[in-house]
Amino acid sequence: MRRDVFQAIADPTRREILHMVCDKPLNVNAVAGHFDVSRTAVYKHIKILAECGLLEVKQKGRERFCEAKPEKLNEVSKWVDQYKRFWEQKLDALEAYLQLIQEPSNNK
Amino acid sequence: MRRDVFQAIADPTRREILHMVCDKPLNVNAVAGHFDVSRTAVYKHIKILAECGLLEVKQKGRERFCEAKPEKLNEVSKWVDQYKRFWEQKLDALEAYLQLIQEPSNNK
DNA sequence: TAGTTGTGCAACCGATTGGTTGCAAATATA
DNA sequence: TATATTTGCAACCAATCGGTTGCACAACTA
């Protein structure tokens, strides 16, 4: 059972769950109510998100509240940043080129 | 056939392929040679990466060179940035707290 | 021309995924 | 206490995934 952050955020439903609980913790039923799949299906997604640390489930009476732990996304952020310089330097080159061909001195 | 960037980078082999070709384009066999799965398996990963725009395949004679298009990761970067403020403000709060309890004026 | 190399793809396979229904158990409420 | 609510989980299912072998074909090379 591979369980890493990259695999967890690959599913659009899981990304939406994360978005739902990021400003206020919600109990399992509240989360499940926003989707048209079964509660069990949503519960499984919550479990996967919890297993890889993207959210924390806290019991309160008979309810369990899902609290987002977005700091785990730092792993993804750092991975993407590795490549950022590649596309940013390409954009810089494009910008420089556009500036060059508009340079008035070229019309001399 | 769902084919988005999030799903594409979920697989560790595909992330490694992307890393391999990011500084120099490599042909299909060269990429496949670095893994101990079959060429066909690697080829399928390349196809998925190409389909979602993370790399481009350019024919040159009988060879096909895989060129990384990391700018497509911008989509992931933007999604993660949505949440960055959540964990950064938590870290700020922690830092502020640590600074507060070390404040000399508290010893007065 | 004959052989080698690089590639695309069909066909198949077991494991995983995302979904379902149904039931049991714990907690709240009448 | 009887009933309703919230949850966890087992059992099952079809589709997808990541892998395989085998073959066809185009393009270099001897």
Side-chain angles (χ1 to χ4, degrees):
Chain A
M1 189 180 14
R2 180 161 55 87
R3 204 111 294 177
D4 62 276
V5 191
F6 289 93
Q7 187 247 354
I9 63 168
D11 187 276
T13 305
R14 285 197 286 269
R15 289 201 298 277
E16 208 174 329
I17 291 174
L18 206 63
H19 186 256
M20 280 182 60
V21 301
C22 81
D23 40 36
K24 186 165 68 78
L26 296 172
N27 71 25
V28 176
N29 269 357
V31 175
H34 281 70
F35 299 92
D36 53 359
V37 294
S38 72
R39 177 184 59 82
T40 307
V42 174
Y43 169 72
K44 282 187 187 179
H45 285 306
I46 289 174
K47 234 189 151 188
I48 289 170
L49 288 168
E51 272 170 16
C52 77
L54 276 169
L55 55 83
E56 218 169 80
V57 181
K58 288 178 179 170
Q59 185 144 8
K60 205 174 185 180
R62 68 181 160 189
E63 295 172 85
R64 314 258 164 129
F65 286 86
C66 306
E67 195 181 316
K69 293 279 162 190
E71 56 269 32
K72 247 282 162 147
L73 289 175
N74 194 34
E75 200 179 315
V76 180
S77 179
K78 265 161 48 185
W79 183 81
V80 173
D81 278 355
Q82 259 189 298
Y83 298 98
K84 209 163 227 169
R85 59 185 178 90
F86 285 99
W87 82 74
E88 275 175 354
Q89 92 195 1
K90 278 188 191 177
L91 288 181
D92 285 352
L94 178 64
E95 200 181 328
Y97 171 73
L98 290 176
Q99 210 156 6
L100 184 73
I101 60 171
Q102 285 192 341
E103 194 73 32
S105 62
N106 284 343
N107 296 333
K108 190 162 51 124
Chain B
M1 188 182 12
R2 182 160 54 86
R3 204 110 295 176
D4 61 277
V5 190
F6 289 93
Q7 188 248 352
I9 63 168
D11 187 274
T13 303
R14 285 196 287 267
R15 289 202 297 278
E16 208 174 330
I17 292 175
L18 205 62
H19 186 257
M20 280 181 61
V21 301
C22 81
D23 40 35
K24 185 165 68 81
L26 296 172
N27 71 23
V28 176
N29 269 357
V31 175
H34 281 71
F35 298 92
D36 51 1
V37 294
S38 71
R39 177 185 58 84
T40 306
V42 175
Y43 168 72
K44 282 187 186 179
H45 286 305
I46 290 175
K47 232 186 153 190
I48 289 170
L49 288 168
E51 272 170 16
C52 77
L54 276 169
L55 55 83
E56 219 169 80
V57 181
K58 287 178 181 169
Q59 184 144 9
K60 205 173 184 180
R62 68 183 159 188
E63 294 171 85
R64 315 257 163 129
F65 286 87
C66 306
E67 194 181 317
K69 292 281 162 188
E71 56 269 32
K72 248 279 161 150
L73 290 175
N74 194 34
E75 199 179 315
V76 180
S77 179
K78 266 159 51 185
W79 182 80
V80 173
D81 278 357
Q82 260 189 297
Y83 298 99
K84 209 164 227 168
R85 59 186 177 92
F86 285 100
W87 82 74
E88 273 176 355
Q89 94 195 359
K90 278 187 191 176
L91 288 181
D92 284 352
L94 177 66
E95 199 180 330
Y97 170 74
L98 290 175
Q99 210 155 7
L100 185 71
I101 60 171
Q102 285 193 342
E103 195 72 33
S105 62
N106 285 342
N107 297 331
K108 189 162 53 129

